[in-house]
Amino acid sequence: MTKPVLFSGMQPSADSLHLGNFVGALSNWVPMQEDHTAIYCVVDQHAITVPFEPASLLERTRVTAAQYIAAGIDPERSILFVQSAVPAHAQLQWVLSTITGFGEASRMTQFKDKSQRYGTDTTTVGLFTYPVLMAADILLYQAASVPVGEDQRQHIELTRNLAERFNSRFGTTFVVPEPHIMKETAKVYDLQNPTAKMSKSAESDAGLLRLLDDEKVTRKKIMRAVTDADGEIRFDREAKPGVSNLLTIASVLSGSTIDDVAAQYAGGGYGDLKKGLAELVESTFAPIRERTNELLADPAELDRILARGAERANELAVSTLDQVYERVGF
Ligand code: ADP
Ligand code: NA
């Protein structure tokens, strides 16, 4: 019995992954290795679609890959690799771009958001065609399942449309993937601005919990998290976004329900909830941080792991690309 193929990835666009990446992506990827052929990619080619520092990109790629492994992605069982090491991604993107409507691509809301954020002077064709590269990432591996956040739903729809279009125009070639949208309950918010999602793109660093931050920094950020004046520990996303966010994080990291966490701290002050949460976050992050640092201490071994992953990915990718080229008439 062959297991369904799953593909997912993250950009190496920060020095550390953050709690949102862990809760919304990485921690879910780990158990999915059980019943899937899981392919996890560090999508460095996506990272260069917005302003970036060449001097730090390679290091960030290594650090991101190390955090995947440290959090429990097993590079023996799963395929772990860096996108730019497998040329078929860019090659398939070209073919897919020729069946993507200009209007269709123009409707991608993430492009609109990002091009607004970075300004027209730095908005590139690469940013515009980003979703086509993402479609190539997924279709190359004949992935049936793509775990992503809600913000990626539109890109997965595009991927499905491109797969169906190619299949009907050139003959069945691609598996049409299903989105596997992560639950809203797994969304965490900025500690200083708890109606905005926790993001590496936040203006201030104070609301962002990084996996690789040391314990003191993390504790300070949690103790300073924005709450409210009523003093009551209760989940209410609308009226009490700050406290609700703390309860959500505690619930996800402890595996208890939000009600149980609220009951545990009811009657106490916000300080107790924050102290408990700081301990929980640290007990989650500490082993990941330690393992990441061990992996980074031996870059040659890490590069060997990634080269082996790229070799395995390349084998699958080339097999799909060969079919595509044949169908197209190359
Ligand atoms: P960022 O918002 O920091 O730029 P990305 O967009 O690169 O993060 O997201 C990478 C992965 O992490 C995606 O799967 C996304 O859904 C998940 N993710 C990012 N931020 C959060 C969050 N605040 N809560 C839950 N999941 C998140
Ligand atoms: Na983002």
Side-chain angles (χ1 to χ4, degrees), residues 5-327:
V5 178
L6 173 155
F7 180 93
S8 203
M10 279 192 271
Q11 293 188 35
S13 42
D15 296 321
S16 169
L17 295 176
H18 59 75
L19 179 71
N21 302 142
F22 178 75
V23 163
L26 203 45
S27 69
N28 299 300
W29 291 0
V30 173
M32 287 170 174
Q33 297 177 108
E34 299 293 335
D35 45 9
H36 295 86
T37 297
I39 304 177
Y40 295 121
C41 186
V42 179
V43 290
D44 58 345
Q45 288 174 313
H46 286 280
I48 68 168
T49 59
V50 293
F52 73 103
E53 271 308 322
S56 50
L57 183 61
L58 178 60
E59 194 46 33
R60 287 176 164 189
T61 297
R62 280 209 189 94
V63 174
T64 303
Q67 287 170 100
Y68 285 11
I69 299 170
I73 301 303
D74 176 355
E76 295 297 324
R77 185 162 46 156
S78 302
I79 298 179
L80 168 61
F81 75 106
V82 176
Q83 189 183 28
S84 61
V86 178
H89 290 253
Q91 292 169 307
L92 180 60
Q93 182 199 12
W94 177 253
V95 175
L96 293 177
S97 74
T98 67
I99 65 163
T100 307
F102 187 79
E104 185 176 40
S106 306
R107 284 192 294 275
M108 296 297 120
T109 57
Q110 195 175 77
F111 170 74
K112 291 181 199 168
D113 293 348
K114 284 194 184 174
S115 55
Q116 255 167 29
R117 189 182 325 144
Y118 294 103
T120 40
D121 289 347
T122 43
T123 295
T124 64
V125 173
L127 183 64
F128 185 68
T129 58
Y130 176 116
V132 186
L133 179 59
M134 182 168 159
D137 298 340
I138 296 163
L139 299 180
L140 268 181
Y141 300 99
Q142 306 292 0
S145 172
V146 190
V148 289
E150 179 60 43
D151 58 331
Q152 295 299 317
R153 185 189 288 278
Q154 198 185 24
H155 291 165
I156 304 297
E157 270 316 308
L158 177 71
T159 303
R160 289 170 54 83
N161 290 338
L162 293 177
E164 282 167 357
R165 192 172 305 152
F166 189 95
N167 286 349
S168 76
R169 206 172 286 178
F170 299 98
T172 302
T173 306
F174 296 122
V175 168
V176 181
E178 292 295 332
H180 179 128
I181 306 289
M182 295 304 176
K183 294 191 296 285
E184 168 66 17
T185 50
K187 187 162 170 183
V188 301
Y189 295 82
D190 190 288
L191 297 178
Q192 288 302 316
N193 181 17
T195 53
K197 79 163 195 159
M198 188 179 285
S199 169
K200 61 177 177 271
S201 324
E203 263 163 51
S204 148
D205 188 60
L208 186 72
L209 297 176
R210 291 200 181 83
L211 260 61
L212 304 183
D213 277 347
D214 77 39
E215 177 172 12
K216 273 194 198 133
V217 171
T218 297
R219 193 185 329 117
K220 205 181 217 176
K221 286 178 179 174
I222 293 173
M223 296 313 289
R224 291 181 179 173
V226 164
T227 50
D228 53 52
D230 84 10
E232 203 188 323
I233 295 185
R234 171 170 63 81
F235 186 89
D236 182 337
R237 176 74 69 204
E238 296 284 299
K240 298 170 68 67
V243 172
S244 300
N245 187 37
L246 300 179
L247 290 172
T248 302
I249 297 170
S251 156
V252 176
L253 297 185
S254 67
S256 309
T257 65
I258 286 178
D259 285 348
D260 285 349
V261 178
Q264 186 189 339
Y265 291 102
Y270 293 156
D272 286 345
L273 171 62
K274 288 176 170 179
K275 265 185 221 144
L277 183 60
E279 280 168 26
L280 197 55
V281 170
E282 176 58 13
S283 69
T284 307
F285 285 9
I288 298 176
R289 198 169 57 228
E290 280 159 25
R291 182 77 185 108
T292 300
N293 289 332
E294 281 169 20
L295 288 157
L296 293 174
D298 189 353
E301 171 62 8
L302 184 58
D303 287 350
R304 198 197 57 76
I305 292 170
L306 293 174
R308 173 77 190 119
E311 217 175 279
R312 292 165 66 201
N314 192 60
E315 217 170 284
L316 299 171
V318 163
S319 145
T320 302
L321 189 71
D322 281 350
Q323 286 180 57
V324 168
Y325 274 17
E326 195 186 309
R327 298 249 145 90

